């Protein structure tokens, strides 16, 4: 069985982003294969733990993928401040003889954005609305490489590494089955110190916000990189809960056109024609957003990577250009309006290096600076009595169940396949158990003596 087939049968999707099926992404021939070890979001420590503690497996997987892609260069991009991680990776490279190099970057945000990472490692700029493949690169994150190494040994993707931090008593990296509840994960981190709290799935800059009640229904998926628990009255909690209509009215009335959002935008600094301040200006004359979807400036919202620098770092008025862009991107998508690849590419801003945002500063401006320097070196492994696995955990079609309620399953057994001819990924049971429910999620209750 070749590497791509092993990855496909293991059900691996990108662990650090939207969950693009890895067997499809790696079906290419490129010059550069780049492993993203920059751990883009402040506070997350999962990839750092993996680079320290599973360095050899990561390097071996990167070597195998590099050879499959026919890449002349195999590079792990990470921050130069990651001294322990660098030492572990260098030792693994020396032990294996792998043709892999390290590219050490400054500690800035968003160093882990894949287009920024490509620029840092290769000097090449991915075109507007393009992907790294357009400039001869494939990027995959560190956690995904560990999954690939497991797949090379015949182990499917059924357990997930993630960070749990914030107002918890024991911030930690967890290793849990897919489908584990957020509540169980928070309990494994010693529980929260707050009676009422707010949760972000992922990191503080780009993660998905949840109320305490929503988080109680959430489960770990293949793309869950972290669980950030914050006080209910924190800056991020308050800003995320501003109603959309109120947020848009504030943008229309309070934007002073300082253009800081544009001047600090990572995509704009690389020469992309995205100018958030112009989009904010167009809102002022648009009671209905649908009225401005034909505007060229507004259509450039599709180029936004939603890193959050514009609203959490740049804007002096506390407005939310990122959220405006995300809203417009959704409307443009519903209208099936796509930005033409490569259109409007300009010269890289000569001030780009000077305008990189230190990661610690990004965390402080997001109101989570108190948690930035928490040292997380431990990893806990935990399996609950029940898991609930969503059929949609990735880009593309949801997985299609091949089990029914009452069926008994073994750890690693296929429980949902990929629909024929569609983009997607398969799903496996994380432990021995009995299928309790099959709807939008497959619920499995643990049993120790499944035959």
């Amino acid at each position: 069985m070749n590497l791509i087939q092993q990855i496909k049968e293991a059900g691996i999707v990108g662990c650090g982003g939207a969950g693009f099926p890895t067997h499809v992404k790696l079906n290419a021939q490129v010059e550069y294969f780049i492993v993203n070890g920059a751990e883009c979001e402040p506070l997350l420590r999962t990839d750092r733990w993996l680079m320290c503690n599973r360095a050899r497996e990561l390097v071996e997987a990167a070597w195998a993928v590099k050879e499959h892609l026919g890449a002349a260069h195999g590079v792990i991009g990470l921050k130069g401040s990651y001294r322990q991680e660098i030492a572990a990776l260098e030792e693994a490279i020396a032990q294996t003889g792998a043709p892999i190099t390290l590219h050490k970057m400054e500690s800035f945000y968003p160093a882990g954005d894949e287009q920024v990472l490509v620029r840092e490692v290769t000097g090449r700029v991915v075109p507007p609305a393009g992907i790294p493949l357009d400039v001869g690169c494939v990027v995959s994150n560190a956690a995904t490489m560990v999954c690939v190494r497991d797949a090379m040994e015949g182990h499917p993707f059924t357990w997930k590494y993630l960070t749990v931090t914030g107002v918890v008593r024991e911030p930690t990296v967890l290793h849990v089955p897919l489908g584990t509840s957020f509540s169980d994960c928070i309990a494994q981190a010693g529980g929260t110190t707050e009676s009422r709290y707010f949760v972000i799935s992922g990191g503080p800059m780009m993660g998905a916000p949840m109320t305490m009640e929503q988080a109680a229904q959430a489960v770990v998926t293949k793309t869950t990189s972290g669980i950030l628990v914050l006080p209910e009255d924190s800056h991020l909690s308050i800003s995320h809960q501003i109603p959309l209509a109120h947020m848009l009215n504030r943008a229309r009335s309070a934007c002073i056109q300082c253009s800081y959002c544009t001047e600090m935008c990572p995509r704009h600094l690389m020469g992309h024609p995205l100018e958030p301040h112009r989009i904010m200006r167009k809102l002022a004359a648009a009671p209905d957003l649908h009225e401005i979807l034909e505007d060229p400036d507004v259509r450039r919202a599709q180029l936004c990577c939603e890193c959050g620098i514009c609203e959490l770092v740049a804007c002096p008025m506390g407005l939310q250009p990122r959220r405006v862009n995300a809203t417009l991107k959704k409307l443009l998508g519903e209208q099936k309006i796509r930005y033409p690849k490569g259109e409007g590419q300009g010269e890289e801003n000569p001030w780009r290096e000077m305008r990189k945002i230190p990661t610690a500063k990004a965390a402080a401006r997001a109101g989570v600076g108190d948690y930035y320097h928490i040292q997380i070196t431990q990893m806990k492994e935990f399996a609950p009595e029940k898991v609930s696995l969503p059929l949609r955990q990735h880009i593309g079609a949801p997985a299609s169940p091949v089990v029914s309620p009452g069926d008994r399953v073994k750890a690693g057994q296929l429980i949902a396949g990929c629909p024929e001819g569609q983009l997607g990924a398969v799903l496996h049971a994380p432990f021995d158990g009995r299928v309790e429910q099959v709807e939008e999620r497959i619920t499995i209750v643990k049993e120790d003596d499944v035959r």
Side-chain angles (χ1 to χ4, degrees):
M1 188 186 301
N2 65 29
L3 181 63
I4 290 297
Q5 192 63 29
Q6 289 174 319
I7 291 169
K8 182 178 181 180
E9 292 196 3
I12 299 173
V13 303
C15 293
F20 195 86
T22 304
H23 69 277
V24 177
K25 174 182 272 195
L26 299 185
N27 187 20
Q29 293 288 299
V30 296
E31 184 179 352
Y32 280 89
F33 174 56
I34 304 171
V35 177
N36 187 348
E39 196 126 51
C40 191
E41 284 273 14
L43 311 190
L44 298 188
R45 297 293 182 267
T46 309
D47 287 352
R48 295 183 64 174
W49 188 90
L50 291 170
M51 287 187 288
C52 282
N53 295 278
R54 297 197 64 180
R56 186 178 181 116
E57 295 102 314
L58 192 159
V59 166
E60 289 174 343
W63 185 0
V65 172
K66 172 187 177 295
E67 295 303 309
H68 164 77
L69 294 170
H73 308 282
V75 183
I76 300 173
L78 74 171
K79 296 171 182 174
S81 59
Y82 292 177
R83 293 181 178 84
Q84 290 179 310
E85 293 80 359
I86 290 169
L89 291 168
E90 288 179 337
E91 181 180 359
I93 291 168
Q95 289 176 346
T96 61
I100 302 294
T101 60
L102 303 184
H103 183 91
K104 303 164 191 174
M105 299 180 289
E106 300 170 78
S107 184
F108 71 94
Y109 177 81
D113 173 84
E114 69 173 14
Q115 295 197 16
V116 172
L117 184 62
V118 166
R119 165 61 182 81
E120 293 297 312
V121 171
T122 71
R124 301 172 183 178
V125 175
V126 177
I131 58 175
L133 192 60
D134 295 322
V135 291
C137 303
V138 164
V139 179
S140 193
N141 92 318
T144 307
M145 283 300 97
V146 172
C147 291
V148 168
R149 185 64 184 85
D150 290 342
M152 292 165 64
E153 296 292 328
H155 304 303
F157 185 8
T158 58
W159 284 58
K160 178 71 174 166
Y161 291 96
L162 67 148
T163 303
V164 185
T165 190
V167 287
V168 292
R169 293 183 177 87
E170 301 170 15
T172 186
V173 171
L174 288 183
H175 192 215
V176 297
L178 299 175
T180 300
S181 72
F182 275 27
S183 297
D184 280 340
C185 291
I186 293 170
Q188 287 301 306
T192 177
T193 59
E194 303 284 320
S195 59
R196 296 286 307 174
Y197 56 86
F198 180 77
V199 170
I200 296 178
S201 176
M205 306 296 286
M206 301 174 71
M210 301 178 182
T211 64
M212 182 173 167
E213 289 72 26
Q214 290 169 332
Q217 304 301 315
V219 298
V220 173
T221 70
K222 294 180 180 183
T223 60
T224 305
S225 55
I227 299 173
L228 174 57
V229 186
L230 297 173
E232 197 172 49
D233 60 353
S234 66
H235 169 67
L236 284 176
S237 173
I238 293 168
S239 64
H240 277 302
Q241 294 185 70
I242 296 173
L244 177 63
H246 182 57
M247 181 273 294
L248 292 172
N249 284 336
R250 289 182 63 204
R252 292 183 179 103
S253 62
C255 178
I256 59 175
Q257 286 294 292
C258 66
S259 80
Y260 292 164
C261 54
T262 294
E263 292 172 20
M264 299 177 74
C265 170
R267 296 293 169 88
H268 181 80
L269 290 171
M270 290 193 297
H272 288 196
L274 175 62
E275 297 180 284
H277 77 285
R278 291 184 181 273
I279 296 172
M280 298 288 278
R281 183 190 303 170
K282 298 298 170 70
L283 288 182
D288 183 348
L289 294 183
H290 290 85
E291 296 176 4
I292 55 173
L293 293 184
E294 297 293 330
D295 187 285
D297 288 328
V298 171
R299 289 194 173 190
R300 291 170 182 160
Q302 293 175 94
L303 305 178
C304 176
C305 65
E306 300 182 43
C307 69
I309 283 178
C310 54
E311 63 188 47
L312 293 173
V313 179
C315 183
M317 302 300 289
L319 305 180
Q320 297 178 299
R322 183 260 306 267
R323 194 173 169 195
V324 169
N325 286 347
T327 302
L328 291 169
K329 286 168 68 174
K330 181 179 179 182
L331 293 177
L332 289 162
E334 291 170 353
Q335 297 292 323
K336 295 183 169 47
I337 299 172
R338 293 188 176 183
Y339 192 85
K341 183 187 293 187
E343 183 177 288
Q345 177 66 45
E347 294 295 322
E348 184 174 279
N349 192 300
W351 293 99
R352 177 175 180 269
E353 291 297 321
M354 299 291 290
R355 291 179 181 168
K356 288 178 177 176
I357 308 300
T359 309
K361 178 178 179 179
R365 293 297 295 270
V368 294
D370 289 346
Y371 319 111
Y372 179 73
H373 295 289
I374 291 175
Q375 297 297 314
I376 300 177
T377 57
Q378 65 172 331
M379 187 275 288
K380 289 186 179 180
E381 201 162 79
F382 165 74
E385 293 301 310
K386 177 189 289 191
V387 292
S388 186
L389 297 107
L391 295 174
R392 185 182 294 278
Q393 299 192 30
H394 49 263
I395 286 177
S400 179
V402 296
V403 293
S404 302
D407 288 352
R408 282 172 165 74
V409 295
K410 297 283 287 182
Q413 179 180 328
L414 184 73
I415 59 174
C418 179
E420 187 68 29
Q422 297 193 49
L423 180 69
V426 299
L427 197 59
H428 304 80
F431 48 56
D432 295 352
R434 175 177 50 81
V435 177
E436 184 177 76
Q437 189 175 38
V438 178
E439 292 180 353
E440 292 183 353
R441 297 180 178 184
I442 297 178
T443 302
I444 301 175
V445 178
K446 186 187 294 183
E447 290 185 359
D448 295 328
D449 58 348
V450 175
R451 291 180 176 84

